[in-house]
Amino acid sequence: MSRLSDRRLAVLVYCLLFALYLGVGYWLQVCNGFILGDALSRVAAAESVLYSRSPHVAAVGFVFTPLTALIELPAMPFMQVLPELTGRALAGSIVSALFMAGAAVQILGIGTDRGLPRRYRLAITAMFALNPMILFYGSNGMSEAPFLFFSIWAVRRLILWMVDDDVHHLISAGFIAMGLAYLTRYDAAGAVAGAGALVFATTYLRAPAPPRIRRALLDLILVAGPGAGSFLGWAAASWLITGDAFAQFSSRYGNAAILAQSGGSQVGGFGSGLLFAAVSVLLLAPTVIPIAVWAGWVRWRRPNWTVLLVPTVMFGAVLVFQAHSYATGSTFGFLRFYIAALPLAACLAMLAVPEGPLLPAKRPGRHAPPPATVATTRAGRAGYPVVAVLLAVGLPVAGWGMSLPKYAPQEYALGAVLRPDPDDTSARKTVERRIAATFSTERQIAEYLDRLNLPESSVITDTVYGFAVVAASRKPRTFVIPSDPDFVQLLNDPIGGDVRYLLAVPDTGRGASDALNQRYPTLYETGAEVATLELEIANDGDSQPNWRLYRVFEPSAGDRE
C-alpha cells in the first residue's frame, strides 16, 4: 500500500466524518434546539470580539481558554445571512466537526505509521469516531474536539519519537500540539507535565554518556516548554487585563464562584470523588484495562515496548488531573471531563498488535533504537480480533453511561431528542424536555428586543446568563455588556447614558454574581428606583432564570440640560 493511497484514505475518512459530525450538530442544535451552555457562551464571546459595541480581542474573555472561540471568528461575518451560526451555536458545531474529524484521522495515522492492516486501522478508527460520546462532542461546539485533536496529535508524534528519536517530532508535539492544547482546555496542563517527565526520562536513559542531564533537559524544554509558555502567557494576559491570573478559578464567573452559588460541590469526600471519576472512566472505556494488559503482554521486553507509555502517561495525566480536581471539590461531576479515556483506549488498541513495516524515519536521531518489528507470536496473531472486540464493547456501554443523570447531567437529556414521547409525563422526561428547551426563552427575548428596533447601547445585561440573549440577537450592538469599556459607567448612570432597558435575573444562585444585581440589589424585585417593570418572562429551560425587562426612567429636564 503506497503512502499516497494512505493519504487519500485519510482525506476520505476526514471528509466523511466532518460531514457526519456537522450534520449531527445541525440536527441537534438547529432542528431541535439542543445547545450546551458553554458552547453558546464561546460563540457569544467570538461574536463580541468582532460585533460588540467595542470590538476588541480581549472580549473573548478569560474564563475559558481562548482558542475555541477564536477559531470561530471566521464564521462570524456570515451571521446575518445564517443567524443560526450564533443563535443556535452552529459556528461551534463547525469547529467541533473540523477538529473531531481530525482527531479520528490522527488515530488512523497511528495505525498507518505502524504499518497495521488497513481493515484493522479502519475498524479501530470507526469505533473511536462513532462512539456516542465522540459523536456528540464532535458536533456540539464544546472544547473537547480541539482538545482531543491536539492531544492525539502530540501522542502520535511522541510515539514516532520513541521509535526514531527525530527531534522534529518533539517540536511538533511540543511547540504546536501541546502549546495549542493548553489554549483549548486547562487540563492539558496534565498532559504537558506527563509528556515532559516521559521525554526527560527517556532521553536520560538513552544517552550512553554525559552530558545526559543536559540532553534530557533540552528535550524536556522542547516538548513541555511551549505548554508552560501558554500557561504563563495566558495567566499574564488575564492578570494584566482583568486583575485575575486564573479567572476560571478565582473570578466571579469561574468554577469556584459557580460551585458556591450552586450550593457547593456535591462531592461526598475525596474517596467518593475518586470513585466517581473511576466509574466515569469505566463508563466511557470499560475495556481500557484489558486492552492495556493485552498490549503489555504482547510488547513487554520486545522492541519499542516503550511506545505504550506515551498514551498511557499523557492521557492518564489528564484523567488524574480531572479526578483530583473533582475529588477536591474544585470542578463539576461531568462525564465529559473524562473523555480522554476514549483516545487512550483507541491508541492502546493501535499499539496492542504486531506492527508491519514502520513508517521510514526521515531524520533518525543519534539515539534511535535499532529498527525492528514485534515478533508475530500466537498472542500477536490473535490480537487483532480480540482487541477490536474489546474496544467495540465500549460503544454501547458509553451510550448507556450517557443516559445516567448522576454521571452525565449534560448528556442524559438527549433522550428528549432521541426518544421523544409526548405522552410520557414522568419527572425524568419532564426534566429532559426542560434541558432540551434551554435557551429557547432567551431566543424569544432577543427576537422581541430586535423587533423594537432599538438604537445601540439600549439594553444593559450581564453575560452570566445574558450571553444567550446577545448571541441570539441580530443586533448585538444593542447590548451593553461587561467587556465594553463603558459598561460600569453606563451601569452606574443608565438614565444619564440614555439606556432604555435593564435585563434582570433573580439575585439568587448564579444571579448573585450578575453585575446588575451587585450594583442594584433590589433591581429584580423593585426596579431599584431607576426603572419600572415592563415585561416578565418565565423560562422554559432547566436551571435558567425567569427574566424581567425593566424600562429605565426617562431623564428629567434638568438631566437633559
Side-chain angles (χ1 to χ4, degrees):
M1 188 187 309
S2 69
R3 290 182 61 192
L4 181 61
S5 63
D6 286 337
R7 189 176 297 114
R8 288 174 176 170
L9 177 64
V11 171
L12 177 62
V13 169
Y14 181 87
C15 293
L16 291 174
L17 290 176
F18 171 73
L20 172 65
Y21 295 142
L22 184 57
V24 172
Y26 187 90
W27 179 73
L28 279 175
Q29 298 181 195
V30 177
C31 298
N32 291 281
F34 192 102
I35 306 169
L36 295 187
D38 286 356
L40 186 58
S41 178
R42 286 182 171 92
V43 170
E47 180 189 56
S48 296
V49 170
L50 296 179
Y51 295 106
S52 64
R53 295 172 54 254
S54 177
H56 58 293
V57 176
V60 76
F62 292 89
V63 173
F64 298 125
T65 44
L67 192 59
T68 305
L70 292 177
I71 296 171
E72 293 167 359
L73 289 178
M76 294 300 107
F78 302 97
M79 67 181 186
Q80 294 297 329
V81 179
L82 188 61
E84 290 81 5
L85 286 170
T86 52
R88 303 283 180 135
L90 186 61
S93 292
I94 295 172
V95 170
S96 288
L98 286 168
F99 280 97
M100 196 64 88
V105 168
Q106 291 298 328
I107 294 289
L108 177 66
I110 292 174
T112 302
D113 297 340
R114 309 199 65 70
L116 301 183
R118 172 177 282 190
R119 284 183 294 180
Y120 183 78
R121 283 183 273 148
L122 288 175
I124 299 303
T125 301
M127 282 183 274
F128 169 79
L130 300 179
N131 185 289
M133 198 73 171
I134 295 297
L135 196 60
F136 182 47
Y137 283 94
S139 61
N140 63 15
M142 300 286 278
S143 61
E144 275 68 22
F147 172 69
L148 290 186
F149 169 74
F150 290 123
S151 299
I152 299 170
W153 183 13
V155 165
R156 181 184 177 187
R157 285 294 192 164
L158 288 180
I159 288 173
L160 290 172
W161 176 79
M162 282 285 189
V163 174
D164 61 23
D165 194 43
D166 184 350
V167 70
H168 296 82
H169 296 315
L170 290 185
I171 294 172
S172 295
F175 274 83
I176 304 175
M178 283 192 285
L180 294 176
Y182 181 79
L183 295 178
T184 304
R185 287 190 63 86
Y186 289 107
D187 37 349
V192 171
L198 180 61
V199 167
F200 180 90
T202 301
T203 299
Y204 181 82
L205 294 174
R206 277 179 176 175
R212 302 169 76 184
I213 293 181
R214 186 177 70 183
R215 291 170 179 167
L217 283 174
L218 287 174
D219 284 353
L220 168 64
I221 292 171
L222 281 177
V223 77
S230 295
F231 171 84
L232 295 174
W234 183 242
S238 178
W239 177 71
L240 288 171
I241 294 173
T242 70
D244 285 311
F246 302 101
Q248 168 75 353
F249 308 102
S250 58
S251 78
R252 63 188 177 94
Y253 300 104
N255 279 353
I258 294 173
L259 284 167
Q261 294 153 10
S262 303
S265 173
Q266 300 302 311
V267 183
F270 190 80
S272 298
L274 293 182
L275 178 62
F276 179 95
V279 171
S280 297
V281 170
L282 293 178
L283 285 173
L284 292 177
T287 55
V288 66
I289 294 177
I291 292 173
V293 171
W294 181 278
W297 180 35
V298 169
R299 305 198 72 92
W300 180 246
R301 294 187 182 281
R302 294 187 172 93
N304 300 328
W305 70 269
T306 54
V307 295
L308 293 175
L309 297 176
V310 178
T312 303
V313 169
M314 289 187 62
F315 292 123
V318 173
L319 295 172
V320 168
F321 178 94
Q322 288 290 2
H324 182 269
S325 297
Y326 180 67
T328 54
S330 59
T331 191
F332 309 94
F334 292 160
L335 187 66
R336 65 183 177 90
F337 287 166
Y338 307 94
I339 198 171
L342 295 174
L344 170 60
C347 289
L348 288 175
M350 289 294 192
L351 301 174
V353 293
E355 62 258 24
L358 297 178
L359 185 71
K362 293 182 179 180
R363 297 168 290 264
R366 69 175 64 181
H367 302 308
T373 58
V374 175
T376 306
T377 62
R378 180 178 300 176
R381 288 193 297 270
Y384 294 105
V386 169
V387 175
V389 169
L390 284 174
L391 192 64
V393 169
L395 274 71
V397 175
W400 174 67
M402 292 172 69
S403 71
L404 304 177
K406 177 180 178 180
Y407 295 96
Q410 295 183 302
E411 294 85 14
Y412 84 97
L414 282 168
V417 177
L418 300 174
R419 298 181 302 276
D421 185 356
D423 297 326
D424 188 343
T425 59
S426 64
R428 168 166 174 159
K429 187 60 70 173
T430 300
V431 173
E432 286 180 2
R433 293 192 190 103
R434 286 184 60 85
I435 294 175
T438 300
F439 306 126
S440 60
T441 300
E442 285 72 14
R443 289 193 293 273
Q444 293 170 8
I445 295 172
E447 291 170 3
Y448 172 80
L449 293 172
D450 285 351
R451 287 196 301 269
L452 297 179
N453 293 317
L454 297 168
E456 290 186 14
S457 311
S458 292
V459 182
I460 296 182
T461 186
D462 196 350
T463 48
V464 172
Y465 287 110
F467 68 87
V469 179
V470 178
S473 173
R474 303 195 70 171
K475 301 176 180 179
R477 295 179 186 272
T478 301
F479 299 90
V480 181
I481 57 177
S483 61
D484 294 332
D486 58 351
F487 176 78
V488 173
Q489 175 186 341
L490 293 177
L491 181 61
N492 283 333
D493 186 16
I495 298 175
D498 289 330
V499 173
R500 303 279 186 90
Y501 292 102
L502 304 177
L503 193 54
V505 297
D507 189 14
T508 57
R510 291 194 63 196
S513 65
D514 186 283
L516 279 74
N517 285 328
Q518 292 192 340
R519 176 60 181 85
Y520 304 106
T522 62
L523 174 65
Y524 188 80
E525 298 299 331
T526 68
E529 299 183 353
V530 295
T532 184
L533 181 64
E534 179 161 310
L535 194 64
E536 182 167 8
I537 311 102
N539 208 309
D540 295 329
D542 182 66
S543 302
Q544 294 295 107
N546 294 328
W547 294 88
R548 287 184 178 178
L549 183 66
Y550 277 92
R551 177 185 285 274
V552 177
F553 293 150
E554 292 287 338
S556 64
D559 292 330
R560 291 186 185 279
E561 295 175 0

